[in-house]
Amino acid sequence: NPTEPLVIDGKTYPRDHFTNATPTILDKLPRRLHLQPSHPIGILRSLIESHFNDFEHLNSLSPIVTVQQNFDDLGFPADHPGRALTDSYYLNQRHMLRTHTSAHEVECFSAGKDRFLVTADVYRRDEIDRSHYPVFHQMEGCNVVDPAQGGIERLERENAQMRAALGQANIVIEDPTGDETATNPYQAEHDPRTARIIAEHLKNSLNGLVLKLFGGGRAGGDGAEPLRVRWIEATFPWTAPSYEVEVMFNGKWLEILGCGVVRQAALERSGVGHKQGWAFGLGLERIAMVLFSIPDIRLFWSSDARFASQFRQGEISTFRPYSRFPECYKDLAFWLPAQGEGEGVKAWHENDFMELVRDEAGDLVEGVQLIDEFTHPKTGRVSRCYRFNYRSMDRSLSNEEVNVIQERVQERVTSEMQVEVR
Ligand code: PHE
């Protein structure tokens, strides 16, 4: 009932002008794919946990966080695009579905945790295609030490061990980010020597992880060719310096994670300004799709036994598609609402449209693509044509059932999004 407050896990969230989380999305909260031991997402989680075996592993933190946790505590500016209603799911103006696992960094640091991994479902509004889904999974890894307690010496000892192991491994690491650069500097509060040790520890830890996940021929080679990894400068509001890591997989660079040295401001906000360390966040679906050869992100959510029965705890295996069911195209063309036309006309945003389509079509829609756009020369109105690609992961769809869905989509965009179907 759209007028009653949202009740989730026995907690009540009053609706307001921010509320945009739909029932379709809220239905995903209890699924917890990362906890299924023989699901690809669960298998990958365990593999990564085993690389960080002396870290605390946190797998059950609630997906509902405050805007403060998800953005403010991490230093996101007030006008950051990720905060927009078109990009994130809000229960109301105070509570939201986390958009990344970094939302838990400050609470974990505050609780005194120094080495931990957080695995969780995260939520973002996005386009519809084979690699995007509004729910996906991330792992956050954090490692902070107290320099007054010998923490830096510990990182140096571990660096020596990791460096030796990587030196023996069949891996080529391209790292133009090296020491600090003008565009990616160490923090002013940090002694450069200490910052360098932390950054090196971060890089060694993640190079080792990448080797574990992709080494030995899993990157599409035969294992005789070295695994190629490259480090790229990046920016995140709560880390400096910051990096992204890419792995050469089947001849293409695949971006797999973001990371950096945690800003002292974030640690101070957590009441542990005397500590220093690093953090990373990686997306599990993207890695699982290439490691297990899973061609469509919707498959992770399939309850079909032909999917589930193919995977075994602790094993990375190649998915064998059980069948490729026929696809069915439908086009829909409409005029967008004229800019500023009438009071209360909401600005058109494509993500709202994608959401509506997901809501009606669920997992039967594989992609929605803008195929044509033009502006009427006299009226200035904009027309768009979208192509819908329907395909079930588990069965053949009939043209009749697709028509029913497509008609409902058409009715709802007309009544809810003030467009005029052509
Ligand atoms: N949370 C970031 C993302 O989702 C990744 C990240 C984690 C970057 C930790 C830096 C430190 O893109």
Side-chain angles (χ1 to χ4, degrees):
N1 182 335
T3 57
E4 272 166 29
L6 294 165
V7 180
I8 304 163
D9 273 346
K11 290 209 186 89
T12 304
Y13 302 90
R15 291 173 194 265
D16 61 25
H17 57 294
F18 265 65
T19 311
N20 69 350
T22 61
T24 315
I25 288 299
L26 294 172
D27 281 350
K28 306 288 189 208
L29 267 58
R31 289 290 297 274
R32 298 148 71 75
L33 301 183
H34 59 289
L35 296 186
Q36 297 179 23
S38 48
H39 186 284
I41 297 296
I43 295 169
L44 189 53
R45 166 184 65 84
S46 303
L47 191 61
I48 295 172
E49 284 179 347
S50 71
H51 183 69
F52 295 101
N53 59 357
D54 62 340
F55 282 45
E56 182 178 354
H57 302 157
L58 300 155
N59 296 319
S60 306
L61 298 173
S62 168
I64 299 170
V65 298
T66 59
V67 175
Q68 165 117 23
Q69 285 175 292
N70 198 79
F71 293 123
D72 301 326
D73 282 349
L74 296 168
F76 279 85
D79 61 353
H80 192 278
R83 293 181 184 255
L85 281 164
T86 51
D87 287 42
S88 298
Y89 290 103
Y90 288 85
L91 303 183
N92 54 40
Q93 55 186 323
R94 227 180 93 74
H95 286 97
M96 63 188 300
L97 302 180
R98 66 187 154 219
T99 64
H100 57 172
T101 41
S102 304
H104 298 290
E105 281 193 21
V106 166
E107 91 190 65
C108 289
F109 291 141
S110 299
K113 298 184 191 305
D114 290 333
R115 292 186 158 212
F116 56 90
L117 286 177
V118 175
T119 309
D121 39 334
V122 301
Y123 297 78
R124 292 187 199 175
R125 303 185 73 201
D126 222 318
E127 57 205 280
I128 301 178
D129 62 32
R130 277 193 290 264
S131 61
H132 286 91
Y133 202 75
V135 194
F136 57 103
H137 295 80
Q138 284 191 332
M139 281 179 96
E140 196 84 3
C142 295
N143 185 359
V144 295
V145 297
D146 182 350
Q149 302 291 318
I152 300 299
E153 290 72 24
R154 169 179 180 177
L155 297 183
E156 279 188 289
R157 281 195 302 276
E158 292 175 350
N159 272 340
Q161 289 162 5
M162 291 191 284
R163 219 183 291 127
L166 285 164
Q168 302 287 308
N170 196 14
I171 183 171
V172 172
I173 301 158
E174 298 170 29
D175 185 4
T177 67
D179 284 342
E180 69 175 335
T181 64
T183 45
N184 204 24
Y186 296 147
Q187 295 166 46
E189 299 94 316
H190 285 172
D191 165 25
R193 197 189 86 89
T194 311
R196 191 172 306 122
I197 292 166
I198 296 169
E200 197 203 329
H201 195 275
L202 167 66
K203 289 175 176 180
N204 287 334
S205 303
L206 292 176
N207 286 329
L209 174 67
V210 163
L211 190 66
K212 176 161 201 153
L213 296 179
F214 295 93
R218 269 201 208 127
D222 54 7
E225 286 288 303
L227 175 68
R228 289 175 66 195
V229 181
R230 73 177 179 194
W231 286 75
I232 295 170
E233 265 183 43
T235 10
F236 302 103
W238 68 102
T239 53
S242 308
Y243 315 98
E244 268 159 16
V245 177
E246 296 184 343
V247 180
M248 181 64 89
F249 191 93
N250 275 336
K252 278 197 236 137
W253 287 109
L254 176 75
E255 187 201 312
I256 59 161
L257 64 85
C259 63
V261 177
V262 182
R263 281 192 188 271
Q264 288 315 119
L267 291 166
E268 267 151 35
R269 214 167 285 128
S270 318
V272 293
H274 59 290
K275 297 181 185 171
Q276 296 179 27
W278 53 250
F280 72 83
L282 59 78
L284 288 176
E285 272 78 356
R286 188 170 313 176
I287 299 175
M289 284 178 83
V290 301
L291 286 181
F292 293 86
S293 306
I294 293 172
D296 190 303
I297 196 166
R298 290 174 294 163
L299 281 163
F300 292 115
W301 299 89
S302 169
S303 42
D304 195 306
R306 286 170 296 180
F307 178 76
S309 66
Q310 292 199 23
F311 306 102
R312 238 161 281 324
Q313 189 164 357
E315 252 176 61
I316 293 198
S317 53
T318 301
F319 173 63
R320 280 163 280 103
Y322 28 95
S323 168
R324 194 158 162 78
F325 297 95
E327 59 195 333
C328 175
Y329 287 110
K330 299 285 167 188
D331 289 350
L332 180 63
F334 47 75
W335 297 103
L336 299 189
Q339 294 291 306
E341 187 181 86
E343 285 295 299
V345 174
K346 243 177 55 176
W348 157 268
H349 197 291
E350 193 173 72
N351 280 357
D352 293 331
F353 172 59
M354 297 295 175
E355 182 84 56
L356 190 156
V357 175
R358 292 243 191 233
D359 217 34
E360 281 304 328
D363 288 356
L364 299 183
V365 63
E366 178 169 296
V368 177
Q369 230 189 332
L370 180 63
I371 54 168
D372 186 45
E373 180 177 65
F374 74 90
T375 308
H376 191 281
K378 292 221 178 69
T379 62
R381 289 184 83 183
V382 177
S383 165
R384 282 195 177 185
C385 183
Y386 284 95
R387 173 155 295 172
F388 292 60
N389 177 15
Y390 289 98
R391 188 205 310 266
S392 164
M393 290 286 102
D394 311 322
R395 62 190 174 86
S396 271
L397 294 177
S398 73
N399 196 43
E400 288 71 36
E401 71 180 308
V402 172
N403 278 338
V404 171
I405 298 171
Q406 187 70 6
E407 268 162 38
R408 279 206 305 262
V409 169
Q410 178 167 333
E411 278 166 29
R412 283 190 59 192
V413 276
T414 310
S415 64
E416 296 171 30
M417 301 194 74
Q418 288 104 354
V419 306
E420 195 184 315
V421 174
R422 302 179 54 219

